[in-house]
Amino acid sequence: MLEKIKNKYCKPIRKKGEVMRMKLFGILSVILSVNLALFAVDFEKKGDFRVRTQWENDGNSSRFRERIRLRYSVTGEIDDLWKIGFGVATGGSDPRSTNETLDNSFETPDLRLDHAFAEAKVLNGLEIWFGKYKGIKKAICCLSGLLWDSDLRPEGLGIKWVKEYNNKNLFFNTGMWIIDEIKKGDDPYLVYFQPGFDFVKSDNVELQMYVGCYLFGNVKGKALDHSPGTNTLSSGNLKYDYDVFSPGMRIMFDNSSKFTLSLFVEGVVNIDIDKSNKGYLLGVGVSNDNGWKLEISHGRLERDAWLDIFSDSDEFNGQTGTQGQKINISKKVNKHTSVRADYIHLEDLITNDNLNVCKLDMLWSF
């Protein structure tokens, strides 16, 4: 009697192997669904390849280097809210360089994750991103390499807001970026705020202004990775805190029949100390419709005006405590090909050493 009741009202218990097969089938179904969804996304794909000949002299020795750079990225909107992007690039662990020097008996170079992020379009003009973002100049407004090397990919969270108002584009960038993760101790981080506007005054005049506020936390007493060691140290660790204000301005005059002229300036001051805490950059650029562009700048960055893990690595390996000039000229040959030449002259404000760098690039975009 009990056997009849069990067979009628109780479902048979599946064997362990059958349960495992059903779980595996479920996992594979999810993976297949995700892949089909990704294939359905119209990803934007782009990349570039650059060949560079570089000569540099620091007053004691000279060197030539042949260098290459390859970058490739994809970005796509997976639904009405989210955009996903990721990319790879040549280079090593240095966050300020994707160059690969040709050396070491044809040694096979690295190809690494360059960026990987998710970005949400929350409201019209308001975007939030998470992860390792696609570029410093995409996250904030910066006009030169005075503070930020263009190869940097910030990590953490960022918010970008843009609003059009009375012929002005008002914008505000903010967020929190992770500098390091320490097993025992407080993690260094950066909180930033950057309000500004972009104003088209007339058909041929455009004015852009902003003020960046960079509040670093838990950096005092730390030794940060990839530092050239030019900030003031105490027992090998950073002696000071860094809370930095950096205003910037650019004005452009567009005479479209002949050329476009731009004048730009950036400043920086670390308010936590009262010496060797300032910097500035003045520049001028000229371009025309034939693809020519010329830019000349003069800058100065004192020893503790800024953390030396972020500034342009072409300038004494990114160290602070320098001043000097840059000249670059470029020509867009066609839709996919361009050439560029750079000259950099720098003086070390502490040792009075000089650095001269010449670079000749040929770039193909695809």
Side-chain angles (χ1 to χ4, degrees):
M1 188 68 178
L2 291 174
E3 186 68 20
K4 289 182 179 180
I5 295 173
K6 183 179 72 172
N7 292 337
K8 183 177 181 179
Y9 295 103
C10 298
K11 295 181 180 178
I13 300 174
R14 293 185 175 92
K15 295 180 180 179
K16 184 178 179 181
E18 185 180 354
V19 173
M20 291 300 295
R21 285 194 296 271
M22 291 186 68
K23 287 183 177 179
L24 180 60
F25 178 76
I27 294 171
L28 291 175
S29 298
V30 172
I31 294 174
L32 180 61
S33 299
V34 171
N35 278 281
L36 289 174
L38 288 176
F39 278 118
V41 175
D42 185 16
F43 278 102
E44 177 188 357
K45 298 173 282 291
K46 64 179 181 179
D48 60 65
F49 174 64
R50 185 179 71 191
V51 175
R52 167 175 290 177
T53 297
Q54 181 170 327
W55 170 85
E56 54 192 73
N57 183 290
D58 62 3
N60 298 313
S61 61
S62 298
R63 66 186 300 199
F64 271 98
R65 286 191 283 178
E66 300 296 330
R67 318 184 83 183
I68 60 173
R69 184 190 73 185
L70 175 67
R71 302 186 298 187
Y72 188 75
S73 65
V74 296
T75 307
E77 295 181 359
I78 61 174
D79 55 34
D80 293 337
L81 176 64
W82 290 102
K83 177 191 294 184
I84 301 294
F86 57 92
V88 294
T90 49
S93 60
D94 185 352
R96 290 185 283 186
S97 178
T98 49
N99 291 311
E100 186 64 43
T101 300
L102 304 182
D103 59 2
N104 296 336
S105 305
F106 304 153
E107 182 177 80
T108 303
D110 290 331
L111 188 66
R112 297 188 174 215
L113 180 69
D114 184 61
H115 60 274
F117 68 93
E119 188 171 42
K121 188 178 293 184
V122 181
L123 298 170
N124 186 27
L126 178 64
E127 297 178 346
I128 302 176
W129 61 264
F130 311 87
K132 189 174 183 66
Y133 203 47
K134 54 188 172 180
I136 191 72
K137 291 186 176 181
K138 303 289 186 180
I140 60 174
C141 185
C142 55
L143 302 177
S144 72
L146 179 70
L147 302 185
W148 301 103
D149 189 292
S150 61
D151 283 323
L152 287 169
R153 306 292 186 253
E155 300 175 348
L157 174 149
I159 300 173
K160 301 187 295 181
W161 175 80
V162 180
K163 176 69 173 179
E164 186 175 348
Y165 177 76
N166 285 348
N167 208 30
K168 299 183 182 70
N169 281 328
L170 306 177
F171 63 85
F172 184 76
N173 302 311
T174 186
M176 181 176 180
W177 296 348
I178 300 165
I179 298 177
D180 202 357
E181 191 278 327
I182 298 176
K183 185 176 181 180
K184 295 182 179 180
D186 297 323
D187 296 340
Y189 64 89
L190 164 63
V191 174
Y192 65 96
F193 308 92
Q194 188 188 60
F197 68 86
D198 195 346
F199 174 41
V200 180
K201 188 175 182 181
S202 64
D203 291 339
N204 60 347
V205 179
E206 180 179 351
L207 176 65
Q208 183 182 64
M209 295 185 69
Y210 62 86
V211 177
C213 176
Y214 304 102
L215 308 177
F216 292 91
N218 301 326
V219 297
K220 183 178 179 180
K222 301 291 195 307
L224 302 179
D225 293 330
H226 304 290
S227 167
T230 49
N231 293 141
T232 301
L233 304 177
S234 176
S235 301
N237 299 318
L238 289 170
K239 185 176 180 179
Y240 302 120
D241 282 321
Y242 289 79
D243 291 318
V244 175
F245 286 92
S246 177
M249 182 183 72
R250 177 175 61 184
I251 184 168
M252 298 179 62
F253 304 93
D254 184 10
N255 187 339
S256 56
S257 62
K258 294 183 180 180
F259 61 88
T260 298
L261 173 67
S262 62
L263 305 173
F264 55 94
V265 58
E266 283 190 296
V268 56
V269 57
N270 177 10
I271 63 173
D272 284 329
I273 57 175
D274 56 7
K275 61 180 181 180
S276 300
N277 65 331
K278 301 178 181 64
Y280 66 87
L281 184 135
L282 305 170
V284 57
V286 182
S287 61
N288 65 17
D289 291 339
N290 294 324
W292 285 100
K293 184 177 180 180
L294 171 67
E295 190 171 281
I296 303 172
S297 63
H298 171 79
R300 177 185 175 97
L301 188 62
E302 295 177 350
R303 183 172 187 173
D304 292 304
W306 185 242
L307 283 176
D308 61 12
I309 60 173
F310 292 134
S311 49
D312 194 340
S313 65
D314 289 329
E315 305 180 9
F316 274 127
N317 295 318
Q319 72 182 55
T320 57
T322 64
Q323 66 178 4
Q325 300 78 39
K326 292 184 185 180
I327 303 173
N328 68 68
I329 184 169
S330 60
K331 173 69 168 72
K332 194 170 182 64
V333 179
N334 55 42
K335 182 179 179 181
H336 298 288
T337 308
S338 60
V339 293
R340 172 170 167 154
D342 290 77
Y343 172 69
I344 302 171
H345 171 75
L346 289 175
E347 177 188 356
D348 189 311
L349 296 173
I350 301 171
T351 65
N352 294 322
D353 291 338
N354 288 283
L355 175 70
N356 294 281
V357 179
C358 295
K359 298 181 291 185
L360 181 61
D361 297 342
M362 192 160 188
L363 178 73
W364 297 268
S365 301
F366 52 88

